[in-house]
Amino acid sequence: DQQVKQNSPSLSVQEGRISILNCDYTNSMFDYFLWYKKYPAEGPTFLISISSIKDKNEDGRFTVFLNKSAKHLSLHIVPSQPGDSAVYFCAATGDPLALNFGKGTSLLVTP
Amino acid sequence: DTEVTQTPKHLVMGMTNKKSLKCEQHMGHRAMYWYKQKAKKPPELMFVYSYEKLSINESVPSRFSPECPNSSLLNLHLHALQPEDSALYLCASSQGSGGTDTQYFGPGTRLTVL
């Protein structure tokens, strides 16, 4: 039972443009959401998070938006850079504590 | 400093071997985790240690045995594994065990069972 869904397995964006990665969740108990970036054969690297009491959190080129009524969050990367090419995992947690990951979206930023 | 270290980086073992994976963090975090990740799949939680006590066991087979010698160290003992256990094993830690504690991951151990 996949409680966190990333419906786009892959995304290709030109360098300098905006990358938008989407994530949906089904469990209304989730109250903390995170995005991780992962390169092959490496551990996920924490990027940015958002608590359910907020609808936006920004950190440099990365912004996460949360729409609680739609149970939807998105990660915006602007401007996109070739080094951003990786797999991005959306994750959610609440009670009980455990990270619930989506299946990931593979982002390719082309020069 | 958000570093979680894991050793070894790679491990190849036979089905009759006994080996251990090690994880260490010096961030003063009080919760540590083991995840298993197969190719093209998201990480799956195996164990959680919160304040040195096992708080969640996700019905992982008994051939995987976690051990938390102290709050900075987390081991995963492996015995009589099967080829399907080949995967990337990830350790993570977080400040506490609350729902808003960010988990930070180590680089992982790539395990191959022959």
Side-chain angles (χ1 to χ4, degrees):
Chain A
D1 178 26
Q2 195 76 20
Q3 299 185 74
V4 177
K5 299 177 184 179
Q6 293 177 257
N7 292 320
S8 297
S10 63
L11 175 67
S12 183
V13 171
Q14 265 193 319
E15 182 178 6
R17 308 291 290 265
I18 185 170
S19 295
I20 300 177
L21 295 97
N22 293 304
C23 178
D24 297 291
Y25 62 96
T26 58
N27 190 337
S28 57
M29 296 298 292
F30 288 152
D31 59 6
Y32 189 58
F33 305 89
L34 309 93
W35 283 95
Y36 287 88
K37 174 181 179 180
K38 189 178 185 302
Y39 295 112
E42 293 185 10
T45 301
F46 169 70
L47 272 179
I48 191 167
S49 63
I50 188 166
S51 166
S52 60
I53 63 173
K54 293 186 175 182
D55 54 20
K56 177 183 175 182
N57 189 25
E58 191 172 354
D59 184 2
R61 296 186 298 114
F62 301 93
T63 303
V64 56
F65 296 92
L66 174 63
N67 182 334
K68 288 185 291 293
S69 60
K71 293 191 177 70
H72 176 83
L73 64 155
S74 60
L75 175 69
H76 292 210
I77 306 173
V78 55
S80 301
Q81 300 172 354
D84 295 328
S85 298
V87 176
Y88 288 78
F89 286 99
C90 170
T93 187
D95 183 23
L97 119 86
L99 272 180
N100 296 272
F101 283 92
K103 291 188 175 182
T105 296
S106 180
L107 173 66
L108 177 64
V109 180
T110 57
Chain B
D1 180 12
T2 56
E3 187 176 5
V4 177
T5 59
Q6 289 186 244
T7 55
K9 194 173 176 64
H10 300 277
L11 178 63
V12 179
M13 60 187 290
M15 289 188 285
T16 59
N17 291 158
K18 283 185 182 181
K19 296 286 184 183
S20 296
L21 309 185
K22 298 185 185 303
C23 175
E24 189 167 8
Q25 56 86 14
H26 293 290
M27 297 176 277
H29 287 177
R30 300 310 300 270
M32 296 183 75
Y33 313 78
W34 279 113
Y35 287 83
K36 173 183 177 181
Q37 185 178 22
K38 301 282 274 185
K40 299 189 188 301
K41 294 286 179 74
E44 296 177 357
L45 182 66
M46 299 176 74
F47 301 103
V48 178
Y49 268 90
S50 178
Y51 295 85
E52 298 167 47
K53 285 185 169 46
L54 182 64
S55 51
I56 297 178
N57 185 324
E58 298 280 323
S59 299
V60 175
S62 60
R63 56 187 184 266
F64 295 92
S65 173
E67 179 203 10
C68 191
N70 60 56
S71 59
S72 300
L73 292 171
L74 183 64
N75 300 322
L76 184 63
H77 301 300
L78 315 171
H79 174 54
L81 294 193
Q82 303 297 310
E84 60 264 29
D85 296 321
S86 298
L88 181 67
Y89 288 82
L90 295 162
C91 174
S93 71
S94 62
Q95 184 74 32
S97 54
T100 58
D101 286 301
T102 299
Q103 294 183 28
Y104 296 93
F105 285 82
T109 293
R110 172 66 61 186
L111 174 68
T112 303
V113 182
L114 300 175

